[in-house]
Amino acid sequence: MSKKLDFPATARNANAILAVLQQYMAFGDVFEIASGSGQHVVHFAKALQQNTFWPSDPEPDHIASIIAWSEQTSLCNIMPPQRLDVTEYNWYNGDPIEGLPNSFSAILCSNMIHIAPITAAKGMFAGAGKRLQDDGQLFLYGPFFGISDNEAPSNIEFDKNLKQRNPEWGVRSIDKVKAWADSCGLYLGKTISMPANNFVLIFYKNNTDS
Ligand SMILES: C[S@@+](CC[C@H](N)C(=O)[O-])C[C@H]1O[C@@H](n2cnc3c(N)ncnc32)[C@H](O)[C@@H]1O
């Protein structure tokens, strides 16, 4: 039986995220945190063949799905997935991880920091700050509170629903996200509105405002 998982939301937002990556992402090695089913990485790698993609996820069934989706393509620019949890010391401390480059031109994380405890958001930023090249970019996709003047009712409902599932989950406020990033040497450079009240935030290692 196929190990390919099909996440409907992933398939729905893949093209919109890809359009942002095509506009802003530099060439080089791209590490994907929380790759989930692997549908995103396959979609992005097909369109961005000048980049090499390094998917990852902590869940064994997600790793199996990433492998299954990747095997179905004949792409040479998707590397084998890494089992990686961003709350683990070796990630956030920036230690070398066997099988991975020591630094990346970009790191990509979609739909993770609201479906995980705050330690995951903090760990994600800490490791990204240590592993991005000096001109590197962190792309963070998802819903955030505090960007729009009026919060979308669907995001308020989503936040309630997440907290019912796990009190440590929830839509994060942009102020907190920026503070966590700042403390890891990452600066919010671009905020891009996406369909369905989501955003792509692009963080840079160097604060170009200063
Ligand atoms: C909603 S899915 C998003 C998957 C994919 N990025 C997407 O946008 O469709 C959330 C993912 O976050 C991963 N995740 C949760 N906690 C994590 C952690 N501490 N470190 C890395 N990934 C984590 C889960 O295993 C899951 O694959």
Side-chain angles (χ1 to χ4, degrees):
M1 206 179 80
S2 171
K3 297 193 167 156
K4 281 193 299 178
L5 300 172
D6 183 4
F7 293 178
T10 310
R12 263 200 314 274
N13 58 36
N15 270 332
I17 299 174
L18 174 61
V20 173
L21 303 183
Q22 283 173 317
Q23 188 170 359
Y24 295 106
M25 188 179 263
F27 296 175
D29 285 303
V30 181
F31 188 69
E32 188 183 40
I33 293 168
S35 297
S37 63
Q39 286 158 288
H40 271 167
V41 78
V42 165
H43 192 69
F44 301 156
K46 244 182 229 163
L48 298 166
Q49 300 215 1
Q50 67 279 16
N51 293 98
T52 299
F53 286 84
W54 301 81
S56 72
D57 204 276
E59 296 293 332
D61 57 331
H62 294 180
I63 295 287
S65 176
I66 299 164
I67 293 171
W69 279 102
S70 305
E71 277 177 356
Q72 198 187 280
T73 74
S74 53
L75 295 168
C76 309
N77 62 332
I78 307 178
M79 296 297 116
Q82 185 77 26
R83 203 212 62 79
L84 185 121
D85 181 326
V86 292
T87 63
E88 286 175 3
Y89 180 82
N90 62 346
W91 165 260
Y92 66 75
N93 194 45
D95 293 347
I97 297 177
E98 201 184 324
L100 289 188
N102 287 337
S103 67
F104 295 92
S105 58
I107 293 178
L108 177 59
C109 181
S110 304
N111 283 325
M112 189 277 277
I113 68 167
H114 54 282
I115 311 187
I118 281 171
T119 48
K122 291 182 172 174
M124 187 276 298
F125 279 118
K130 294 191 169 115
R131 292 170 195 281
L132 279 173
Q133 297 165 9
D134 284 347
D135 57 353
Q137 306 160 294
L138 168 66
F139 293 81
L140 187 61
Y141 170 84
F144 301 93
F145 282 147
I147 298 179
S148 306
D149 289 342
N150 297 310
E151 298 301 355
S154 58
N155 279 351
I156 295 172
E157 199 50 41
F158 185 41
D159 179 57
K160 257 197 233 154
N161 179 278
L162 287 168
K163 288 182 169 126
Q164 276 164 6
R165 288 163 67 191
N166 185 329
E168 290 191 85
W169 295 3
V171 173
R172 309 301 176 197
S173 84
I174 188 69
D175 288 346
K176 283 196 181 139
V177 169
K178 274 165 70 175
W180 297 328
D182 276 8
S183 70
C184 301
L186 293 167
Y187 305 97
L188 180 59
K190 286 190 173 55
T191 302
I192 301 163
S193 283
M194 302 293 283
N197 306 301
N198 287 296
F199 295 88
V200 173
L201 308 180
I202 310 180
F203 295 85
Y204 297 87
K205 268 196 97 167
N206 292 306
N207 189 352
T208 45
D209 292 344
S210 57

